[in-house]
Amino acid sequence: MSIVVTGATGQLGRHVVEQLLEKVPADQITAVVRDAEKASGFAARGVKIAVADYNQPETFDGVIAAGDKVLLISGNEFDKGRVGQHKVVLDAAKAAGAALLAYTSAPGTLTAALADDHKGTEAAILESGVTYSLLRNGWYNENYTEQLAVALEHGVTQAAGDGKVASAARADYAAAAVAVLTGEGHENSTYELSGDTAWGFAEYAAEVAKQSGKDVAYNAVPADVLTGILVGVGLPEGLAAILAGVDVAIEQGQLAGTPGDLSRLTGRPTTPIAESIAAALKG
């Protein structure tokens, strides 16, 4: 029996594998990657490495075995048909007789375009008949703290008005996935995962200012203006519009829910945004 993690060298995947290594023997973990070299550190610790690509279905032949638990981490190639990519892993899991397929989805409350591929993937999973666990991940603290240099220079610019975000750290979401993959009783489950506390961007700007000692303002702008700004720094227009659409959803309260599933799964409080800001400033 193996725990199979796709996207294992990605930002979330690395956290998942690191935390799995604390709970299960390394030879019970299969890290699915596109580039074996990026997984060399895991291989050196005894993790099995499988090279496979969502865009090449045949590369998943033999990666998943009967009884395996699989974590399908959603892809980030927005222009390549993510539902089709995800179905490659789903089909491989079903054919192999996997014991569980966990999928990192989006909050059920999110109506922004970003959620469309997740909803399509969830529908395919339910239709397939595989035993599943839907991990509806909310927003990551790092979505903002990784842009601190920009915030310190130009302020915090979002199209979210006074909306709030109940975010948590990537490591928190990884811990929830690990709890599902290594625990019992998660068959055919759906978890709405988010931080324990919702915060607004004015609060965020004030916290960055407090910790950095610099003046940091919150600049609330319309969605089309934010789209233009993101295109101006090099993002494709489609992706820029998707991200601005998330801000509109935030203004509408769609990412502010705090049902508590994340802290219940992990057995600890979620990481406050202030803590992630502090880590990023030290970084």
Side-chain angles (χ1 to χ4, degrees), residues 150-209:
V150 176
L152 290 169
E153 186 174 349
H154 301 290
V156 176
T157 302
Q158 303 287 154
D162 294 327
K164 295 194 172 188
V165 186
S167 65
R170 278 200 188 97
D172 297 331
Y173 292 103
V178 168
V180 166
L181 294 167
T182 60
E184 301 295 330
H186 300 292
E187 294 81 8
N188 300 329
S189 58
T190 301
Y191 296 107
E192 295 287 349
L193 305 176
S194 63
D196 295 333
T197 305
W199 50 268
F201 289 100
E203 295 171 70
Y204 175 73
E207 185 63 32
V208 172

Side-chain angles (χ1 to χ4, degrees), residues 67-89:
D68 284 354
K69 292 183 177 180
V70 182
L71 175 64
L72 169 53
I73 294 179
S74 56
N76 58 8
E77 294 179 318
F78 295 92
D79 58 338
K80 291 193 176 177
R82 290 197 298 168
V83 177
Q85 290 180 327
H86 298 157
K87 283 182 75 173
V88 168
V89 182

Side-chain angles (χ1 to χ4, degrees), residues 145 148 152 211 274-283:
T145 59
L148 269 191
L152 290 169
Q211 292 197 32
E275 191 175 314
S276 292
I277 290 169
L281 286 171
K282 283 177 191 169

Side-chain angles (χ1 to χ4, degrees), residues 5-130:
V5 180
T6 73
T9 53
Q11 292 173 311
L12 179 62
R14 282 194 174 278
H15 280 291
V16 171
V17 175
E18 287 289 352
Q19 293 186 39
L20 280 172
L21 283 165
E22 297 172 6
K23 297 211 167 203
V24 300
D27 63 2
Q28 289 183 17
I29 306 168
T30 298
V32 182
V33 300
R34 290 184 181 180
D35 182 349
E37 192 175 322
K38 289 184 180 177
S40 58
F42 289 146
R45 293 160 72 181
V47 174
K48 297 175 186 173
I49 307 300
V51 178
D53 188 326
Y54 294 149
N55 300 306
Q56 297 174 284
E58 68 280 1
T59 60
F60 276 89
D61 292 348
V63 170
I64 301 168
D68 284 354
K69 292 183 177 180
V70 182
L71 175 64
L72 169 53
I73 294 179
S74 56
N76 58 8
E77 294 179 318
F78 295 92
D79 58 338
K80 291 193 176 177
R82 290 197 298 168
V83 177
Q85 290 180 327
H86 298 157
K87 283 182 75 173
V88 168
V89 182
L90 170 60
D91 292 345
K94 182 177 181 178
L100 180 76
L101 176 75
Y103 171 64
T104 61
S105 192
T109 51
L110 186 62
T111 63
L114 179 75
D116 292 348
D117 289 345
H118 293 296
K119 289 174 181 174
T121 301
E122 286 192 11
I125 290 170
L126 295 177
E127 187 180 334
S128 75
V130 301

Side-chain angles (χ1 to χ4, degrees), residues 160-262:
D162 294 327
K164 295 194 172 188
V165 186
S167 65
R170 278 200 188 97
D172 297 331
Y173 292 103
V178 168
V180 166
L181 294 167
T182 60
E184 301 295 330
H186 300 292
E187 294 81 8
N188 300 329
S189 58
T190 301
Y191 296 107
E192 295 287 349
L193 305 176
S194 63
D196 295 333
T197 305
W199 50 268
F201 289 100
E203 295 171 70
Y204 175 73
E207 185 63 32
V208 172
K210 175 183 164 187
Q211 292 197 32
S212 67
K214 298 185 178 181
D215 289 332
V216 180
Y218 170 40
N219 310 307
V221 298
D224 59 338
V225 172
L226 181 62
T227 300
I229 291 170
L230 295 174
V231 169
V233 297
L235 285 188
E237 188 164 353
L239 179 56
I242 285 173
L243 294 177
V246 170
D247 269 18
V248 172
I250 289 171
E251 185 171 24
Q252 294 170 353
Q254 294 180 20
L255 290 177
T258 55
D261 284 3
L262 182 50

